[in-house]
Each structure stands twice: as structure tokens, then as C-alpha cells.
Amino acid sequence: MTNKQQIKKLRDNAELAWASYGYFDLVGKKFDIKDERIKNSPRIDNLTITPTDILDMTYKKYIAVKSNPHKPDDEIKVGKLDGDMTPTQVKNFFDKYDLLDFYPKFDTKNNKQKEGFHACLFQDKESKELIRKLN
């Protein structure tokens, strides 16, 4: 294996580890429309959170909400996005890998992150290799 191949492999493994800490349980939720940052963003037309948004530092600390089943006009805060990758890194990551499944460490009963087991299952789009990351 050449030095260039080794560096690429190390980079890929680092990005997989980095991505595995994403709060993917927020996928499908909505950005909080009350947040001034989202009002001034091109995302105002599509407020649904995607896996790309989860890792993208552009949306770091944006609030995720879901509809309140008891009051349809009200929304419940369910978390904050905490991505650390640049938009280009996120695009390149999801061009190379698919997120197949995840096991969150989010405590929905108490509406907060909890300590303990967290896992993500990615698949390399080219080689079809499955990669699991346990945290």
C-alpha cells in the first residue's frame, strides 16, 4: 500500500468515526421556524432535517422541533444539531457512504442525550462494504 493510499484510508476512517457521532435521530424533524438564522437561510422552503444537515457545521446549534401531538399548532424542541464538518466534507462523505441504520443514545422520555451505547452502520457505495462504528 502506498503512502497516498494509507493516508486516504486513515482519512476515511477518521471521517467515519466523526460521522458516527451525528444525531441522526433528528432526521425527519423540522428546523425551528422561530430561529432567525433559518429565516435568513435558503432552507426556509424546506425545513425537514436531512442526514447531511446533521453533520454540516452550517446548521450547528440550530434547534430541531416536532409537532406536539396534543396541540397541533405547537411544536416541541427535540434537540440541537451539532455538526462539525464543512459542507464540502459532508457532500463528499455522503457521495462515498450511505447511512443504513443507527442506534441513538437519545433519551426521548427525558428529551436529552444520554451516556452509553451508540452505533451507526454505513455502507461504502463503491465496494458495498458494511462499516459499523460503535461509540
Side-chain angles (χ1 to χ4, degrees), residues 49-106:
I49 297 172
T50 66
T52 304
D53 300 329
I54 300 294
L55 300 179
D56 190 338
M57 68 180 6
T58 305
Y59 304 107
K60 188 173 185 116
K61 300 201 186 222
Y62 278 52
I63 297 170
V65 295
K66 70 176 183 178
S67 296
N68 184 341
H70 305 292
K71 298 179 185 175
D73 296 336
D74 195 17
E75 293 179 325
I76 302 169
K77 177 184 169 186
V78 291
K80 280 187 182 179
L81 281 73
D82 195 28
D84 287 324
M85 290 184 175
T86 66
T88 303
Q89 282 176 306
V90 175
K91 181 192 175 308
N92 291 342
F93 180 82
F94 282 113
D95 283 349
K96 182 168 176 57
Y97 300 103
D98 282 324
L99 173 66
L100 298 182
D101 203 2
F102 64 93
Y103 182 84
K105 59 180 177 182
F106 191 78

Side-chain angles (χ1 to χ4, degrees), residues 16-30:
L16 280 161
W18 198 1
S20 71
Y21 283 95
Y23 298 154
F24 293 110
D25 53 306
L26 299 178
V27 171
K29 307 295 191 278
K30 304 279 186 189

